[in-house]
Amino acid sequence: MAEKPWDGRFSEKTDKSVEAFTASIAYDRRLYPYDIAGSIAHCRMLAKVGVITDEEASQLVEGLGTIKRELDHGKFVFDDSLEDIHMHIEARLLQVAGKVAQKLHTARSRNDQVALDVRMYLREETRQTIDLLKGLRTVLVDLAEAHADVVMPGYTHTQRAQPVLFAHHMLAYYEMFFRDQQRFNECLTRINVMPLGAAALAGTTYPIDRTYTAELLDFPAVSANSMDAVSDRDFVLEFLSAASICMVHLSRLSEELVLWSTSEFGFITLSDAFATGSSIMPQKKNPDIPEIVRGKTGRVVGALMALITLMKSLPMAYNRDMQEDKEPLFDAVDTLKACLSINAQMLPRITVNRDTMRRAASMGFLNATDMADYLVGQGMPFRKAHDCVGKAVAFALEKGKELDQLTLDELKPFSQLIKPDLFDHLTLEHMIDRRQSLGGTATDNVRQALAEARKVLAAGEAA
Ligand code: ARG
């Protein structure tokens, strides 16, 4: 069993059950690249301000490099008695670099060390998440552009409402993911703050240069209050909030893909490579990917709930409870990235069944609002027009016809304002193209929105 770096005042050995219960090494080992980079920067800073010599710093940096290679190549031996990744690396450094290793932890505590590691980890993962979101937005724009003239029913209450362009529907998701990307970008500014040097909670007696450490680790800012630096995880909560919202967007998209791929809808066909079968029903082709994405949303929202609850009653400053931040965070990060990535791979390979969509948009009185708008154009107040068309719909339902299948003679009794040109107003193309209000589904609007999206994507901007 390894010696504990903190056991000077202890007269009994830690019980095995305590070691197993308190150890976080099984999961926090993934922080090692950041822990080592943080330690290297810390050594260099300590040498710069004269707390250790340049020679000592070089020995420490060299030893840390060796340990990094061991970890990279799976040659590192883990041991529960060393609790966490920070103590593992420090203990190994003693073996690799000798007594000088005992100087590494000068002017530092595991409290600011772990805060640093989590921030470095999360800023990297946030950047990757942003890249994945960019990729997904590009896929949505490609999909919209490739089906620019496809008309489908738009829904409210899952009831057919008004026709929209399929491209417009896809661009709605583009907007959601764009805002998600902006949210992650904003998170990044608050994640990217350097906490090292806060030490246990109160700062340190050594003449450290935190700005220099921040520079070495590419942090644009340094935390202003040592207690805040080690005690808050609001940057994790923010990330998880953004991740939860993003997962909700993915889940809604998934729900639609599941519905659309049913024989009842038949709007899309998933590629065989992105669907799975049933072990008993030979005819089945199941939309497991969107289903699993929809299901995984609960995990990410659950991580947010877990950590927001974890933090809610913690007194200042560091509390060991905070060790519990890692598993939910890591799981949420992995889950979100996997869901973004699989969607970006699956969506380009769906088949859009344009005829089925068009047929669905032509049935179910999706032109009723347009008939009311026509009557308004003839001088009728909208409420009256609404009532008049409602009655025509009831009549058509009785006849088993659509509004545009009724004859002029059948329609006239509902209003004398109805002229033969009404029928031009009830075609899908007319309905789509009349919706030219800003943000509406008219073909020209959607074309412009696509061009704008392309421009924004090409500029590589999140804002
Ligand atoms: N493994 C610990 C965590 O994740 C590191 C900090 C431990 N600090 C302490 N004072 N025991 O929170």
Side-chain angles (χ1 to χ4, degrees):
M1 190 194 300
E3 295 276 303
K4 304 273 190 293
W6 44 252
D7 66 2
R9 63 153 290 170
F10 287 74
S11 53
E12 274 186 282
K13 278 211 176 321
T14 317
D15 197 90
K16 276 270 170 224
S17 63
V18 174
E19 286 183 348
F21 187 73
T22 56
S24 54
I25 187 62
Y27 47 87
D28 69 12
R29 61 178 68 181
R30 77 155 82 183
L31 294 175
Y32 84 81
Y34 310 108
D35 199 75
I36 290 175
S39 288
I40 289 176
H42 183 62
C43 287
R44 296 219 156 104
M45 182 281 291
L46 289 179
K48 178 176 179 268
V49 300
V51 172
I52 60 173
T53 65
D54 286 342
E55 171 63 19
E56 288 168 333
S58 309
Q59 288 167 4
L60 290 168
V61 169
E62 201 187 308
L64 288 163
T66 306
I67 297 172
K68 167 91 166 44
R69 282 189 294 281
E70 289 176 356
L71 280 153
D72 285 346
H73 297 115
K75 299 245 160 64
F76 191 92
V77 184
F78 295 99
D79 174 356
D80 261 6
S81 69
L82 285 170
E83 274 183 46
D84 56 25
I85 189 62
H86 325 295
M87 299 221 300
H88 271 81
I89 291 172
E90 201 184 323
R92 180 72 184 132
L93 193 60
L94 195 59
Q95 295 165 346
V96 170
K99 280 216 304 263
V100 66
Q102 291 168 336
K103 296 201 169 183
L104 174 67
H105 214 51
T106 317
R108 184 175 79 168
S109 140
R110 270 189 297 157
N111 300 350
D112 55 344
Q113 191 178 354
V114 73
L116 174 70
D117 292 4
V118 175
R119 284 178 182 273
M120 287 178 73
Y121 158 79
L122 197 52
R123 93 176 156 181
E124 171 58 26
E125 296 294 345
T126 304
R127 285 175 183 147
Q128 287 183 24
T129 304
I130 288 170
D131 283 345
L132 287 166
L133 276 162
K134 268 186 213 160
L136 184 58
R137 284 166 54 218
T138 307
V139 162
L140 287 166
V141 171
D142 290 346
L143 200 58
E145 218 162 53
H147 303 89
D149 59 341
V150 173
V151 178
M152 66 180 293
Y155 293 81
T156 67
H157 313 264
T158 329
Q159 307 288 323
R160 285 180 203 170
Q162 291 174 353
V164 291
L165 288 179
F166 171 76
H168 196 52
H169 199 128
M170 288 301 105
L171 286 180
Y173 282 106
Y174 169 90
E175 294 291 334
M176 296 177 219
F177 293 122
F178 191 20
R179 288 194 297 277
D180 286 329
Q181 194 183 318
Q182 290 171 329
R183 261 185 285 275
F184 283 114
N185 248 311
E186 284 152 24
C187 285
L188 206 45
T189 58
R190 279 178 292 275
I191 292 170
N192 214 359
V193 177
M194 212 288 296
L196 204 67
L201 79 164
T204 174
T205 53
Y206 298 94
I208 57 172
D209 183 348
R210 299 186 61 212
T211 312
Y212 182 63
T213 312
E215 245 169 60
L216 292 177
L217 295 172
D218 205 20
F219 277 96
V222 172
S223 56
N225 180 297
S226 62
M227 295 179 80
D228 176 43
V230 291
S231 78
D232 208 350
R233 293 291 181 268
D234 58 355
F235 63 99
V236 173
L237 298 180
E238 259 190 85
F239 175 90
L240 291 176
S241 307
S244 296
I245 296 171
C246 183
M247 283 301 298
V248 166
H249 290 153
L250 285 169
S251 186
R252 295 186 64 188
L253 173 61
S254 300
E255 169 71 9
E256 297 210 292
L257 296 176
V258 169
L259 280 177
W260 292 353
S261 60
T262 58
S263 14
E264 284 73 10
F265 274 80
F267 286 2
I268 59 162
T269 310
L270 295 172
S271 103
D272 279 359
F274 285 84
T276 53
S278 153
S279 58
I280 177 170
M281 297 167 282
Q283 86 284 10
K284 290 296 290 287
K285 177 171 161 186
N286 294 327
D288 292 34
I289 293 169
E291 289 177 291
I292 291 173
V293 170
R294 197 173 56 182
K296 282 184 187 290
T297 305
R299 284 169 73 150
V300 176
V301 177
L304 172 64
M305 291 307 119
L307 291 207
I308 222 159
T309 312
L310 167 72
M311 294 306 297
K312 75 172 257 300
S313 305
L314 293 187
M316 291 271 228
Y318 176 82
N319 296 273
R320 189 66 181 270
D321 315 42
M322 282 151 72
Q323 177 166 295
E324 288 293 309
D325 63 356
K326 285 168 209 62
E327 279 177 296
L329 173 62
F330 295 165
D331 187 64
V333 164
D334 294 345
T335 304
L336 175 63
K337 282 168 61 187
C339 292
L340 288 168
S341 157
I342 196 79
N343 267 285
Q345 294 172 70
M346 175 187 59
L347 287 171
R349 299 179 64 170
I350 65 170
T351 307
V352 173
N353 302 327
R354 58 172 68 222
D355 294 341
T356 314
M357 284 190 178
R358 195 179 171 89
R359 217 175 310 121
S362 319
M363 285 169 355
F365 308 102
L366 285 85
N367 48 13
T369 317
D370 291 75
M371 181 167 160
D373 290 346
Y374 169 85
L375 291 172
V376 169
Q378 308 294 310
M380 193 184 283
F382 182 77
R383 271 290 154 241
K384 212 164 161 239
H386 185 291
D387 183 62
C388 168
V389 178
K391 292 196 164 88
V393 167
F395 175 77
L397 270 170
E398 225 170 79
K399 292 264 164 197
K401 288 182 174 181
E402 289 292 322
L403 286 173
D404 51 299
Q405 291 169 340
L406 295 174
T407 63
L408 199 57
D409 286 343
E410 285 173 315
L411 283 165
K412 275 275 187 204
F414 295 100
S415 168
Q416 287 309 306
L417 295 173
I418 295 173
K419 309 266 151 53
D421 66 339
L422 166 70
F423 295 101
D424 301 336
H425 287 250
L426 302 186
T427 64
L428 287 175
E429 273 65 30
H430 195 273
M431 289 191 279
I432 296 279
D433 286 336
R434 290 250 307 171
R435 285 177 166 70
Q436 284 169 5
S437 53
L438 187 75
T441 192
T443 307
D444 279 349
N445 287 13
V446 173
R447 200 176 294 131
Q448 269 174 34
L450 276 170
E452 177 61 23
R454 282 267 180 242
K455 212 170 77 194
V456 174
L457 280 169
E461 285 304 313

